[in-house]
Amino acid sequence: METIETMKPAKAEILKKAKSYVTALFEEKLPRQLVYHSLKHTAAVVKEAKALGEASQLGDADLEALVLAAWFHDTGYTEVYDGHEYRSMEMAQQWLTEQGYPADRIAVIKDVIRATHRDEAAETELQELMVDADMSSMGREDFFSNAELLRAEWETMLGKCYSNTEWAETQLNFLLAAKFHTDAAKDRYKDQFKDNIKQQRKLLKKTEKKVKKKEEESTGTFAEPKRGIETMFRTMYSNHMKLSDMADKKANMMISLNAVLMSVIITYAGAKMGKTAALGSLFAKNPILGVPMGILLVTALGSVVTAILCAQPDVTSFKWLKRSPQIATNRRVNLLFFGNFSKLSLDDFQHGMTEIMREKDALYTNMVTDIYYLGDVLTRKYRLLRISYTIFMVGLILTALSFGIAMLYKA
């Protein structure tokens, strides 16, 4: 009687030690990418293995072996992914040997873990119970949430990428082909297992409908456009308008600034011609000052001319040929821009707009063409604006240098 009482606490102690060891091992070494084969999964398998073992009325020794195998069955994941079961067997043997566990029982536990490998057959009752506990998720309510975790894990660890439809088909095929080995598992999971299959079928149909709807939207007319395309065109048009407005403001600033400079310089030049004026007397005494003033006048003139060209309205146009057959789909014609359609007759314009409203490709072509010509105008504006700023900058530098040289010459 004393022997039996001392054995039970010993069994409980080895299970507690195994739990502590595996928990610490997973927290320290299990890769974070393993979102499905985590400590939570192992704890769930241990719980199900214990429940199935008790339902099967296993003896204490076999129940203990089953629970220990459940704790260690995924420990190999800390070192290797594919074939982790065999590494789990080695790790279980090493730890149990250190605990002084009987060698014959260690061999039983290793055989139970081996059965969880996809290529190994479950032959004994313990092996079947272990496999059922490991696959118990397909008969539980958390099947679908666990399936998404497994999908994320496979994408990260194995590089397997599935579309929603492919994944739904994979899961349904898995459920239809799967089965529980023991009567205890069949009784425990049968109702939820059937319900999961039913829900997976519904999910697959729902996913297929979504895919079909997306395909119809992508091949439909532009009267029902994809939101992403609308957003793209809206953003591009907005950016082009902002850039054009910015270029015009910068050009107007250069026109105003250089106009003021030219007015001042011309005033000085007039003063130079008027010998009786004070400024004229100054230029008469220091004629070399006319050099920096002349440089500033010339560069200001060049800068203001290029700025005016930049701000000058520019309308892109094309040479319309009567023999051109398709107006709306002609890549050279932009019916959305007045510079193009104003060269057409009213009948041709109406015909072209009707084609655009009827055909998606025609509208795409015209919108892309419109953006292209807007970009062409912007390219010219910013090129002239850059030239204007460059001339102005060079003029200021040369004026400052020539003025400094004049001062040195005077000295």
Side-chain angles (χ1 to χ4, degrees), residues 63-74:
L63 182 60
E64 180 181 273
L66 179 62
V67 175
L68 285 173
W71 275 116
F72 280 91
H73 83 285
D74 275 348

Side-chain angles (χ1 to χ4, degrees), residues 44-70:
V45 172
V46 170
K47 178 183 176 181
E48 298 301 324
K50 184 177 180 182
L52 293 177
E54 290 174 348
S56 300
Q57 298 181 347
L58 292 180
D60 289 341
D62 285 343
L63 182 60
E64 180 181 273
L66 179 62
V67 175
L68 285 173

Side-chain angles (χ1 to χ4, degrees), residues 113-134:
I113 296 175
R114 180 186 288 109
T116 60
H117 192 280
R118 59 182 178 274
D119 295 331
E120 298 286 351
E123 298 174 346
T124 67
E125 183 182 19
L126 285 180
Q127 289 176 334
E128 290 179 341
L129 288 170
M130 181 67 234
V131 173
D132 286 346
D134 193 22

Side-chain angles (χ1 to χ4, degrees), residues 360-397:
K360 176 185 67 176
D361 292 340
L363 185 52
Y364 275 134
T365 300
N366 276 266
M367 293 183 75
V368 170
T369 303
D370 191 35
I371 290 174
Y372 175 83
Y373 282 126
L374 285 174
D376 189 43
V377 172
L378 279 178
T379 300
R380 178 180 177 277
K381 278 180 175 289
Y382 276 90
R383 183 173 64 249
L384 291 171
L385 190 61
R386 182 179 180 83
I387 294 173
S388 178
Y389 273 82
T390 302
I391 292 174
F392 182 72
M393 179 183 65
V394 172
L396 289 181
I397 294 172

Side-chain angles (χ1 to χ4, degrees), residues 111-278:
D111 284 338
V112 173
I113 296 175
R114 180 186 288 109
T116 60
H117 192 280
R118 59 182 178 274
D119 295 331
E120 298 286 351
E123 298 174 346
T124 67
E125 183 182 19
L126 285 180
Q127 289 176 334
E128 290 179 341
L129 288 170
M130 181 67 234
V131 173
D132 286 346
D134 193 22
M135 304 302 293
S136 61
S137 176
M138 63 185 183
R140 302 200 310 261
E141 293 182 357
D142 58 356
F143 168 75
F144 295 98
S145 59
N146 287 333
E148 289 304 313
L149 293 177
L150 181 62
R151 178 182 180 180
E153 182 178 308
W154 281 0
E155 289 178 352
T156 304
M157 300 299 297
L158 303 178
K160 294 183 177 180
C161 296
Y162 298 88
S163 66
N164 291 335
T165 303
E166 290 172 343
W167 183 250
E169 289 177 348
T170 300
Q171 291 300 98
L172 180 59
N173 292 334
F174 165 72
L175 290 174
L176 293 175
K179 65 177 182 178
F180 290 107
H181 297 80
T182 62
D183 293 336
K186 292 174 183 177
D187 292 338
R188 184 176 176 83
Y189 306 119
K190 63 180 179 181
D191 293 335
Q192 188 61 48
F193 182 56
K194 291 179 180 178
D195 188 52
N196 287 343
I197 293 176
K198 192 178 299 182
Q199 290 186 47
Q200 188 63 50
R201 282 199 176 102
K202 291 181 180 179
L203 181 61
L204 177 58
K205 290 181 180 179
K206 185 177 179 181
T207 305
E208 289 176 340
K209 286 182 179 179
K210 287 183 178 180
V211 172
K212 185 177 180 180
K213 184 178 179 181
K214 287 183 178 179
E215 290 177 350
E216 289 176 352
E217 288 178 352
S218 63
T219 57
T221 64
F222 203 79
E224 299 176 353
K226 294 174 68 176
R227 183 176 298 176
I229 296 177
E230 280 190 333
T231 303
M232 179 191 72
F233 278 115
R234 189 183 299 114
T235 302
M236 292 183 72
Y237 274 114
S238 176
N239 290 340
H240 278 73
M241 293 301 102
K242 289 178 181 179
L243 288 171
S244 181
D245 184 59
M246 188 185 304
D248 289 338
K249 288 181 179 179
K250 290 180 179 292
N252 289 331
M253 182 179 68
M254 291 302 296
I255 292 171
S256 301
L257 178 60
N258 284 286
V260 171
L261 283 177
M262 291 175 64
S263 298
V264 173
I265 295 170
I266 292 172
T267 301
Y268 281 1
K272 182 177 179 181
M273 294 176 64
K275 301 297 183 180
T276 57

Side-chain angles (χ1 to χ4, degrees), residues 38-101:
S38 60
L39 180 61
K40 180 181 177 181
H41 167 73
T42 294
V45 172
V46 170
K47 178 183 176 181
E48 298 301 324
K50 184 177 180 182
L52 293 177
E54 290 174 348
S56 300
Q57 298 181 347
L58 292 180
D60 289 341
D62 285 343
L63 182 60
E64 180 181 273
L66 179 62
V67 175
L68 285 173
W71 275 116
F72 280 91
H73 83 285
D74 275 348
T75 52
Y77 274 122
T78 58
E79 298 182 9
V80 64
Y81 195 83
D82 191 25
H84 70 277
E85 295 86 354
Y86 302 115
R87 182 60 187 135
S88 297
M89 293 165 58
E90 296 173 359
M91 295 175 71
Q93 181 180 15
Q94 181 180 355
W95 185 82
L96 290 170
T97 301
E98 292 173 356
Q99 305 304 313
Y101 205 71

